[in-house]
Structures are given as C-alpha cells and as structure tokens.
Amino acid sequence: MSFKVAVVGATGNVGREMLNILEERGFPVSEVVALASRRSQGTEVSFGDRTLKVKTLDQYDFSDTDICIMSAGGNVSKEWSPKIGKQGCVVIDNSSAFRYDQDVPLIVPEVNPDAISLFARKNIIANPNCSTAQLVVALKPLHDFATIKRVVVATYQSVSGAGKEGMDELFTQTRAVFVADQVDVKKFTKRIAFNVIPHIDVFLDDGFTKEEWKMVAETKKMLDPKIKLTATCVRVPVFIGHSEAVNIEFEKPITADEARDILREAPGCQVLDKREDGGYITPLESAGEDATFISRIREDSTIDNGLSMWIVSDNLRKGAALNAVQIAELLVERGLIQPKKKAA
Ligand SMILES: NC(=O)c1ccc[n+]([C@@H]2O[C@H](COP(=O)([O-])OP(=O)(O)OC[C@H]3O[C@@H](n4cnc5c(N)ncnc54)[C@H](OP(=O)(O)O)[C@@H]3O)[C@@H](O)[C@H]2O)c1
C-alpha cells in the first residue's frame, strides 16, 4: 500500500526537511509532489537521490492526492487546508491556523496518539509549535508517573524557527559585524547576531507573547488541561535547535534518579546527563537528530516535588517535519487512511 503525498512549502526550511524525513524513514509513497508559491515554479528540490520540479499550489488538483503536508505559514493554511480536506486529502498542517480548533486533533504521536481519531471531522490534523512538541515529549512520561501541577519554562529558540529569512539574517548580520559593515535588521525586531531577543510572535494584551501563549494552550490540549504553565520565549543566535530551561512542580514525589530512569525508557527521549564538563546536550549537537534530549536533571528544593531540567531538540525535525511524518505514519499504522489509487 503506498500513498501520493504533496508537500506544500517544499522549498522552505521545514518542507525540505519533510522531504528528507519521508525518504529517510521509507514512508510508503507512490509519488511525492513538491509545491510552493508561484515564485518557486520550476525550481528543483531533492527527494533522496531524485530531483523534484516544484509546482505551484494554486494550480494543483488534490483530487487524487492522499496526504498533504502543509508547511507554508498560517495564512496559506487557512485558505487552502479546508479546501484540500474537502477533496478527501488528509492535511497535516504545521502552522498554528487550526491547532486550537476543537474539531482538529493536535498530535504528538508519543503523547496523545489516540486523539487522531477525530481527524475525519475536517480532514485536518495539526502539528504543534516547535517549542511545545519537544517539551511535551519529555513531560508526558513524568506526568504519568507523578502528575505535573505547574511548569515554568524559558526557551532559547534558534533562528531557523523563523524560516529561511531568519537563518539568512543571522548569517548576514554576523558577517557584517566581522567585516565592520552596516548591520541591517529586517526579519527580527532587534539585531540577532551576538544578541538575544525576548520576543517571539506578537504581543498580547496581558504582556505575554503569542509564542508563549501557544505553549500554554497546546500543552493543555495535548497533555492535560489542569497543568499550569508559564513561559518566556527568547530568540537566540543559534541556527538550528531549540533549548528549554524547565522547572516542574509535581503533585507526587519524584527524585532526579527516578526522572532519569523514566526518561531513558520514554519514546522519543534521550537522556544525556553526566555531572561533568560537557556532560549535557547543546543545540549544535541536536541538529539533524530525531530525539528530544534531556540533560541537567536535578531536584529543586525550593518547592515540594520539584525538578529542573534542560530539554533540547532539532526544531526543524521533532519541532516540525519529523512530527508531521510520524503523524502520517500513525494514520497508516492505524488503518485510518487508504490510498485513492490502488497500485497497478
Ligand atoms: N521552522 C520551524 O521550526 C517551524 C516549526 C514548526 C512549525 N513551523 C511552521 O512551518 C511553516 C513553514 O516554516 P518554514 O520555517 O519552512 O518557513 P520558510 O523557510 O520561510 O518557508 C516557507 C515556505 O512556504 C512557501 N510559501 C509561502 N507562501 C506560499 C504560498 N502563497 N503558496 C504556496 N507556498 C507558499 C514558500 O515557498 P516559496 O519558496 O515559493 O516562497 C516556502 O516553501 C510555518 O507555518 C511555520 O510556522 C516552522
């Protein structure tokens, strides 16, 4: 059984990673179609050792396509995902457009796979925000053991989370600093080279940013609405890999050793936690990896049943493309989708 898969946003950071991961994991494809805007028509992207010519989204007919992995921003998704879903093609959407819609499941397969059964309501499945995806992968097994009451998180998010333009801006500004050229600020609100910016997405009335709100809303939707979470989201001059300093308060006792043992066995998690120089993960090492890495696990004696830890993952993989492909795999494993065209 194999499926016709369209990747929308195939020329972008996440789209390219999507094509790599579909190929690496041997997802059963009969055909892969690369789609982007009119700007990219006719350009080429790689799929394994093949080259795909990019087609334009607004001229493509989805009627014989089985799965559409959508990674072209919220506005494109809002316009296109419902239309594509109505054509009987299941949309797995990377944007925030449908994440909070109660008729759209928001899925991290290691956390809430059973929620996928709702997908047929709109034929849309949402992929979470990159910072939330890696966080819930690590929180879920700890919540099952000791019930999380409250989480305080500070993120250190790489520029690739802001797309190709974000990576270009860090590169261009860094070069400009070294050659004593003028440093232009276009994509971010302040200079990102040799700096950190405590602002991702728009400000809300309560002073939090939309990125911070997303972490709260998505953790509640996927893991447990009773969990209290507060976040500070920060952009840092790192190309790939989001890091998080996380403090967790549990209802029941849990030691650092117990947490380490639980996380060692948990799906999608890798513990790298030696109390010595270099005995922890950094975002540079997470780039290109599938795991959510957990380091610096320690007890927080300032609260009852408290732990602190450091969680790092490749935001383009578990934070976006890998999770989307895992959702497609879940659809196939559970027999929730059949190819429209039978193999000859
Ligand atoms: N980066 C992350 O860590 C991350 C994590 C989770 C979710 N996401 C989400 O994934 C999406 C893409 O992010 P990205 O980092 O890959 O951005 P990106 O590198 O800027 O790429 C954007 C992609 O969208 C395409 N696109 C833009 N407008 C389009 C249109 N009107 N019709 C068809 N295609 C269009 C672009 O095509 P052209 O090349 O033709 O312009 C490009 O392929 C966003 O929704 C983002 O929120 C990103």
Side-chain angles (χ1 to χ4, degrees):
M1 198 160 51
S2 55
F3 300 86
K4 184 169 178 183
V5 178
V7 175
V8 178
T11 54
N13 272 345
V14 175
R16 283 173 193 270
E17 204 62 50
M18 208 77 87
L19 292 167
N20 292 338
I21 292 174
L22 282 168
E23 210 274 333
E24 272 170 37
R25 294 174 72 91
F27 186 79
V29 291
S30 53
E31 189 183 343
V32 176
V33 184
L35 300 172
S37 76
R38 284 174 183 242
R39 290 180 291 273
S40 303
Q41 186 168 19
T43 58
E44 293 181 340
V45 290
S46 302
F47 176 61
D49 50 15
R50 279 171 278 171
T51 300
L52 306 177
K53 271 228 174 340
V54 176
K55 298 180 180 174
T56 55
L57 169 63
D58 55 9
Q59 291 174 333
Y60 184 73
D61 175 5
F62 282 87
S63 54
D64 69 348
T65 301
D66 301 301
I67 299 172
C68 169
I69 309 186
M70 178 71 92
S71 189
N75 291 336
V76 176
S77 179
K78 268 186 205 140
E79 181 186 348
W80 284 93
S81 297
K83 292 191 224 170
I84 298 169
K86 282 201 179 111
Q87 284 190 273
C89 173
V90 181
V91 178
I92 301 171
D93 182 34
N94 265 292
S95 80
S96 58
F98 295 95
R99 286 182 195 149
Y100 318 108
D101 182 327
Q102 59 183 15
D103 291 329
V104 172
L106 175 67
I107 303 287
V108 168
E110 294 89 339
V111 174
N112 62 337
D114 295 342
I116 200 165
S117 54
L118 294 178
F119 85 96
R121 291 187 184 171
K122 288 195 173 166
N123 256 357
I124 302 173
I125 303 167
N127 211 40
N129 178 256
C130 36
S131 314
T132 317
Q134 66 184 64
L135 180 69
V136 292
V137 166
L139 292 186
K140 160 78 175 158
L142 300 175
H143 185 53
D144 288 345
F145 182 83
T147 313
I148 295 172
K149 275 168 73 174
R150 178 169 184 256
V151 180
V152 182
V153 54
T155 70
Y156 304 72
Q157 297 182 220
S158 69
V159 293
S160 58
K164 287 179 293 196
E165 289 173 5
M167 296 180 89
D168 290 347
E169 183 137 317
L170 175 59
F171 181 82
T172 314
Q173 290 183 352
T174 305
R175 188 174 52 189
V177 170
F178 276 117
V179 299
D181 217 345
Q182 181 187 316
V183 177
D184 294 324
V185 173
K186 290 184 195 147
K187 176 74 183 169
F188 298 112
T189 49
K190 296 208 178 196
R191 185 176 114 179
I192 187 66
F194 306 98
N195 201 8
V196 298
I197 305 173
H199 172 195
I200 302 179
D201 210 331
V202 295
F203 276 97
L204 305 176
D205 290 345
D206 61 4
F208 282 88
T209 63
K210 183 87 182 284
E211 186 81 354
E212 291 158 354
W213 175 85
K214 285 177 202 166
M215 292 192 76
V216 177
E218 295 175 22
T219 301
K220 284 178 182 288
K221 181 164 175 177
M222 287 186 287
L223 195 52
D224 188 338
K226 291 200 282 297
I227 292 177
K228 291 180 182 168
L229 187 146
T230 184
T232 304
C233 292
V234 181
R235 188 73 70 193
V236 296
V238 166
F239 280 107
I240 294 175
H242 286 359
S243 309
E244 296 173 343
V246 184
N247 181 268
I248 314 165
E249 187 180 349
F250 295 88
E251 266 174 27
K252 298 174 207 152
I254 176 169
T255 65
D257 282 341
E258 283 170 331
R260 223 173 274 117
D261 288 345
I262 290 164
L263 290 168
R264 272 200 191 101
E265 298 300 316
C269 294
Q270 197 169 321
V271 174
L272 218 163
D273 193 19
K274 290 192 184 144
R275 293 175 174 179
E276 60 187 38
D277 292 354
Y280 39 79
I281 189 81
T282 65
L284 193 64
E285 295 137 348
S286 77
E289 299 288 334
D290 287 350
T292 292
F293 295 92
I294 304 109
S295 302
R296 305 284 328 274
I297 303 168
R298 59 215 191 269
E299 282 148 37
D300 173 10
S301 60
T302 66
I303 47 172
D304 288 339
N305 310 325
L307 289 179
S308 290
M309 61 191 67
W310 175 244
I311 301 173
V312 180
S313 196
D314 180 331
N315 53 293
L316 299 178
R317 291 176 78 91
K318 187 59 196 168
L322 171 65
N323 198 67
V325 174
Q326 287 176 308
I327 291 173
E329 290 171 350
L330 191 61
L331 282 171
V332 176
E333 275 161 33
R334 298 204 168 186
L336 297 168
I337 185 168
Q338 298 297 322
K340 289 177 180 165
K341 266 194 194 161
K342 298 279 175 252

